[in-house]
Amino acid sequence: MKLFKDILKQIKKYDTIVIARHIGADPDALGSQFALKELILDNFKDKSVYAVGTIAQRFRFMGNLDKIDGVDLSKALLIVLDTPDKKRIEGIDDLSAFDYVIKIDHHPYVESYANIEYIEDNASSASQLVFKFAIDNKLKLSSKVAENIYIGIVGDTDRFLHDYTSNETFS
């Protein structure tokens, strides 16, 4: 898909990448965030990748969040996952501090706030979209990436019970 190629082009371009998601993070927000961070680090060893926000104690097993104090954001890429509107982004006060912004979301459109916006509102989860991105670009998937994607999909589909769980979700 052309949009996935465009997103990959931006990831390759930037040495510093910050990944954010919505406030009140659930398993999908965290799963997609941690999966994308590991996916980038596994495939592009020279990148500095930061996952930002806060995490509830019960989800700490999924990964660790980073601080971006002192990071030059003016030369950084921001990828926002699972967040349809900018007021719900956690850990980022000013989108204009970043050189480039990408949004990847499965919620219905609310507002534009990014240079590239990939919205697939019939997808089960943001985690499913991260998986599609990885497969479409033939990126290496580690077991840690797969585990976080699975946790995110299971969380947002309520164990595959919701109507928006599709054949593609299972694939």
Side-chain angles (χ1 to χ4, degrees):
M1 170 186 296
K2 182 180 180 336
L3 209 46
F4 285 156
K5 302 294 181 216
D6 292 343
I7 292 169
L8 183 63
K9 180 180 176 184
Q10 294 305 319
I11 289 171
K12 288 179 177 179
K13 177 179 173 182
Y14 287 90
D15 293 329
T16 303
I17 301 167
V18 176
I19 304 171
R21 39 79 190 148
H22 64 73
I23 56 174
D26 57 19
D28 180 41
L30 293 166
S32 60
Q33 184 181 34
F34 290 133
L36 185 59
K37 177 182 176 179
E38 292 301 317
L39 184 71
I40 293 169
L41 290 172
D42 289 347
N43 287 275
F44 306 99
K45 304 281 187 217
D46 59 332
K47 305 290 181 190
S48 295
V49 184
Y50 305 90
V52 298
T54 59
I55 190 168
Q57 184 64 37
R58 69 181 183 268
F59 298 133
R60 291 209 184 272
F61 72 94
M62 295 177 72
N64 295 312
L65 293 167
D66 306 301
K67 302 286 185 207
I68 53 173
D69 302 332
V71 175
D72 183 1
L73 302 179
S74 69
K75 296 177 182 165
L77 168 64
L78 172 64
I79 302 174
V80 181
L81 301 167
D82 201 29
T83 312
D85 52 337
K86 62 184 169 190
K87 73 178 184 230
R88 295 199 63 228
I89 301 170
E90 184 175 47
I92 303 297
D93 296 325
D94 182 12
L95 296 179
S96 68
F98 292 86
D99 188 53
Y100 203 86
V101 179
I102 295 171
K103 172 170 76 171
I104 300 173
D105 192 24
H106 72 110
H107 296 98
Y109 172 84
V110 174
E111 71 174 315
S112 291
Y113 61 80
N115 303 92
I116 295 176
E117 299 199 341
Y118 174 58
I119 301 167
E120 190 176 320
D121 61 5
N122 62 344
S124 71
S125 57
S127 296
Q128 180 177 323
L129 299 179
V130 169
F131 179 74
K132 283 179 69 170
F133 167 76
I135 295 301
D136 191 78
N137 284 302
K138 297 176 176 50
L139 298 175
K140 178 176 66 171
L141 283 165
S142 68
S143 61
K144 185 66 176 162
V145 171
E147 179 181 307
N148 276 309
I149 288 171
Y150 181 74
I151 291 168
I153 291 172
V154 168
D156 253 25
T157 62
D158 193 19
R159 300 174 334 271
F160 306 103
L161 296 174
H162 291 303
D163 290 342
Y164 49 79
T165 302
S166 66
N167 291 339
E168 185 175 7
T169 306
F170 286 109
S171 294

